[in-house]
Amino acid sequence: MIPYGRQSIDADDIAAVVAVLQGDRLTDGPAVERFEAALAEATGAPHVVACNSGTAALHLAAMALDLGPGDAAVVPSITFLSTANVPHHTGAAVRFADVDPDTGLLTPETLEQALARPGPGTPRAVFPVHLNGQVCDMAWIAAVAERHGLAVVEDACHALGGGARLDGARVPVGAATASAAACFSFHPVKTVAMGEGGAVTTRDAEMAARMRRLRTHGFTRDPALFQADAQAFDADGVPNPWYYEMAEPGHNFRASDLHCALGASQLRKLDRFLTRRRALAALHDRALAPLAPRLRPIPRGPSEDDGWHLYVVRIDFEAVGRSRAEVMRALAAAGIGTQVHYIPVHRQPFYRALDPDLHLPGAEAYHARCLSIPLFPDMADADVDRVAGALAEALG
Ligand SMILES: *Cc1c(COP(=O)(O)O)cnc(C)c1O
């Protein structure tokens, strides 16, 4: 079976994890800081807070922006569930935005439409999603956000290694120059694998410090932050050795040293992974060209460079005369895994019940045609031809 995506693990990744197992610290140890430093280097962000999933990364950012009851967060409907669930869990209302029907990306126009639509809560944040590795038009989104007083949190889970064009220069995804923070996932299908893992990048030192506290229950051992002086300090003003203090409740969102050692080892190969993903995408482009117009790759959007998380094609199932389920089953029978990224989140029963009449035609059109086909660094060139052959057959 050729899956639609999978991790690439080499001997050096295994050795990095084994070294942690043989050492003193399985968690809260030096591998966490090493991973954070490596991601800071890869993204150009001055502050990186590692955590145990992309969902936790989004949650830390939302909490550090004080998103909560009375607020609304704008989320594009074509995304993974967590981009919407996170603001919901903070108590904010989720204001779904439509997307470009061809790229699936939030655009300045669909953001404006979502803001103009009446709904619960005052819009305070927007979560642009760099879908499939294509980077949203961050200059415009930042401009719209500024006009409306919104904090921008990039869901960059698909886009590690990608780049935006800002003020005429290439800015790596995660540098967070046009946002408050960017959030990454290191789930095994993402470009870099930690098993489970995530991180937030930001340029805001105070926000980073708060997210570090929130990822470990919200407590601190920093005497400069202690408020309850009588408990914290002895008569000479020396901090008591047992003392820790919590000013606001957080979570256990920590990433262990095992996970971070794997992540740091993987990050060393990011350039190689991206080069291979790009090369395979170009091979897919060529192999699939004869299937147009019934099947076309999604057009390239406003990215400076793509992160190439997924290779997505748009299929005109009506013209083909076969349903997507039939095509997916035929491909599976030929040993080829595919997936649909994503079901519009506003159509999930939970969100549908909150806003039954919401209709987002761009998201519906994108969803109706999309299919993610295999793309991962260890895929062979010959696999590309196998996928194209099976697709040609499945489309009849
Ligand atoms: C993977 C993903 C997430 C969640 O990441 P986890 O590590 O699985 O929690 C959020 N948003 C998008 C767009 C993703 O692809």
Side-chain angles (χ1 to χ4, degrees), residues 52-56 58 79-83 129 131 155 157-158 184-187 189-190 196-198 309 342:
N52 54 15
S53 70
T55 306
L58 290 161
T79 185
F80 184 57
L81 300 168
S82 38
T83 326
V129 176
L131 189 72
D155 182 336
C157 291
H158 289 191
F184 293 94
S185 165
F186 304 104
H187 180 277
V189 299
K190 310 290 160 79
E196 296 283 358
H309 168 49
Y342 292 99

Side-chain angles (χ1 to χ4, degrees), residues 98-113:
D98 207 0
V99 297
D100 180 283
D102 294 319
T103 63
L105 296 176
L106 180 74
T107 69
E109 295 75 28
T110 59
L111 172 55
E112 292 273 19
Q113 285 163 13

